[in-house]
């Protein structure tokens, strides 16, 4: 079942022969983690790329004065890792943490690069992944620079309402770089405004 | 001369046969632009990837209330484009502008993708470019989120002093997302502090 999801994901991105696909799939190992498991923390090197078969994860870092900033949220059907550290194999500055019980399929950095060598078409998978990661990051950056708290919330509601509906207020607030109190205030204001229409 | 620089860059990233290298180089066209030329503006689709043989470029966008935010600065020996739009072939949200007279070698999006098909090893070039773009963007984002104005300036001085020495105060300030006045104040303060040591 998990493997079917992963097969579908890979098949949508890159054309592999049945043999190449079997090799790729054989390098992913299943793993199951309870809620709030930290898979990577600052100082550690990101050794795995995770396909999320079930559950939700976040990537976050902690500011000097202790505030958590969630940079990225990942639901099932997507890949996740501490990508900067996965690329450089230098210690991460970020945390990767499960937000729900997660069923993952993980490939090690070593096997990922073995696959890039053994199956040249796998480059296209990685290209797709990097392009997507770049676009997501740029959107988060521009949202941060150019939008105020209410605009950030409304953009998230428009682009990815699932995240707002499914995840705790505290996590959504840290993803939008605002306090939970500010998020609650914005929600209440928007609700009142829509009720008075 | 320009082609030698580009050949050296490519050679450091990917192993091509002489024939593949000749094909790649043949798809880059020289272009020369005076200072302050806008190569891409919001609403246009990013059609070229530029190798900067000489000069400096910036990538910036304009906030709602008119403030320019410079997201990236590129000097000779590096590649530049409005990458999000180059990836998606959707209209750009960003400007690409020359800051000095620039000598560029440009490859069209179409020829770049032709090269990816014709020379599978070219994927590695693109992989390298995307990884680097991701890492740069993440650093800019984290600097923005986690550091105050003076820390941002000091980080830039440590990582890339050339940018501070070579580019106008106004551009450096917009890259650090602060007003030119704030940047001048920080510079004066640091100078006074170092003089009194």
């Amino acid at each position: 079942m998990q493997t079917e999801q992963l097969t579908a994901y890979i098949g949508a991105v890159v054309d592999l022969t049945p043999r190449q696909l079997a090799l790729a799939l054989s390098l992913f190992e299943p793993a199951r983690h309870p809620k709030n498991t930290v898979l990577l923390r600052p100082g550690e090197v990101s050794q795995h790329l995770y396909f999320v078969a079930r559950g939700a994860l976040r990537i976050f870092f902690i500011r000097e004065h202790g505030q958590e900033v969630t940079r990225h949220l990942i639901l099932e059907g997507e890949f996740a890792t501490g990508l900067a550290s996965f690329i450089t194999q230098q210690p991460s500055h970020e945390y990767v943490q499960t937000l729900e019980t997660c069923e993952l399929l993980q490939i090690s950095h070593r096997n990922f690069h073995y696959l890039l060598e053994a199956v040249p078409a796998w480059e296209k998978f990685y290209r797709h992944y990097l392009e997507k990661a770049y676009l997501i990051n740029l959107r988060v950056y521009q949202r941060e620079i150019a939008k105020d708290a209410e605009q950030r919330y409304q953009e998230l509601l428009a682009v990815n309402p699932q995240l707002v509906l499914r995840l705790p207020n505290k996590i959504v607030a840290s993803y939008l770089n605002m306090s939970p109190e500010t998020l609650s205030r914005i929600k209440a204001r928007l609700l009142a405004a829509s009720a008075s229409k």
Side-chain angles (χ1 to χ4, degrees), chain A:
Chain A
M1 161 60 184
Q2 291 175 10
T3 306
E4 278 168 34
Q5 274 175 280
L6 178 57
T7 303
Y9 187 108
I10 293 171
V13 173
V14 53
D15 274 331
L16 298 182
T17 65
R19 200 187 193 121
Q20 289 172 331
L21 178 64
L23 172 63
L25 292 175
S26 75
L27 298 175
F28 283 86
E29 298 165 326
R32 192 189 156 93
H33 298 283
K35 188 175 166 173
N36 292 331
T37 306
V38 173
L39 302 178
L40 177 73
R41 65 188 78 231
E44 294 175 356
V45 173
S46 179
Q47 296 290 6
H48 290 94
L49 178 67
Y50 304 101
F51 177 71
V52 185
R54 193 164 78 84
L57 291 150
R58 69 169 175 149
I59 295 172
F60 72 102
F61 61 99
I62 297 181
R63 293 215 231 183
E64 274 176 37
H65 45 290
Q67 189 201 346
E68 289 182 2
V69 180
T70 298
R71 189 177 59 76
H72 191 30
L73 294 165
I74 306 104
L75 303 182
E76 52 277 316
E78 295 291 334
F79 278 87
T81 186
L83 182 56
S85 172
F86 190 81
I87 290 171
T88 61
Q89 290 294 287
Q90 298 294 311
S92 178
H93 297 288
E94 301 185 306
Y95 291 83
V96 178
Q97 182 193 35
T98 63
L99 295 172
E100 302 173 352
T101 301
C102 280
E103 284 169 24
L104 307 173
L105 287 165
Q106 64 183 41
I107 183 169
S108 68
H109 180 268
R110 185 181 171 153
N111 280 334
F112 189 82
H113 277 265
Y114 165 73
L115 210 48
L116 285 171
E117 296 299 321
V119 180
W122 191 251
E123 279 280 4
K124 207 165 170 180
F125 172 89
Y126 192 30
R127 182 215 298 185
H128 175 83
Y129 183 69
L130 287 169
E131 286 184 338
K132 210 166 154 179
Y134 179 84
L135 294 172
I136 289 170
N137 232 18
L138 185 64
R139 199 172 63 220
V140 169
Y141 167 77
Q142 288 184 330
R143 189 180 70 194
E144 192 52 47
I145 288 265
K147 297 192 193 283
D148 66 25
E150 183 164 327
Q151 288 172 326
R152 296 206 292 276
Y153 175 69
Q154 290 198 308
E155 181 187 289
L156 182 62
L157 260 191
V159 172
N160 214 337
Q162 229 198 126
L163 296 178
V164 179
L165 295 170
R166 177 162 156 184
L167 299 175
N169 215 39
K170 190 189 133 195
I171 299 295
V172 174
S174 84
Y175 180 55
L176 295 171
N177 195 22
M178 61 181 77
S179 69
E181 295 72 30
T182 302
L183 179 57
S184 297
R185 224 165 20 239
I186 289 172
K187 280 182 169 178
R189 189 162 62 227
L190 291 176
L191 207 63
S194 80
S196 71
K197 264 180 198 162

